[in-house]
Amino acid sequence: PDSAKVELLVLRNLFDGCTKLRMLDIKIGEKTASPGWKGKSSMRAYWRLVADNFTNSACEGFRLAGFNGAPGSLTSKDPLLDFGGGTEANK
């Protein structure tokens, strides 16, 4: 039989062995939705296209959609947290 060569990319679970992980959710492309892709309706794809025009997606071709595990200095409203001040609960 004719056997075709297949190239695979194997990814490791990034959370494996980590207690804390910082991960950026970056959407790549000028348009981040398409009707019919993974069950997306035409209306939802249209509204995503409208939103893309108000973000970096349209002009830069990518946008930051999320930041999991962000440090307290980014999530806190305490202005002194970066300088070692503020409450212990916010650190």
Side-chain angles (χ1 to χ4, degrees), residues 14-33:
L14 296 176
F15 287 100
D16 181 37
C18 296
T19 55
K20 271 190 165 177
L21 185 69
R22 293 188 178 145
M23 186 169 57
L24 297 175
D25 180 8
I26 299 173
K27 304 297 184 196
I28 299 173
E30 293 174 358
K31 297 178 184 177
T32 58

Side-chain angles (χ1 to χ4, degrees), residues 39-88:
K40 182 150 321 247
S41 70
S42 295
M43 186 56 80
R44 286 190 65 164
Y46 170 76
W47 285 114
R48 185 68 255 160
L49 176 63
V50 170
D52 285 342
N53 287 321
F54 289 101
T55 66
N56 285 22
S57 292
C59 60
E60 301 289 337
F62 70 94
R63 67 181 165 88
L64 177 63
F67 189 173
N68 296 340
S73 57
L74 289 178
T75 59
S76 172
K77 294 184 180 183
D78 184 350
L80 300 177
L81 194 59
D82 274 342
F83 301 104
T87 62
E88 194 65 33

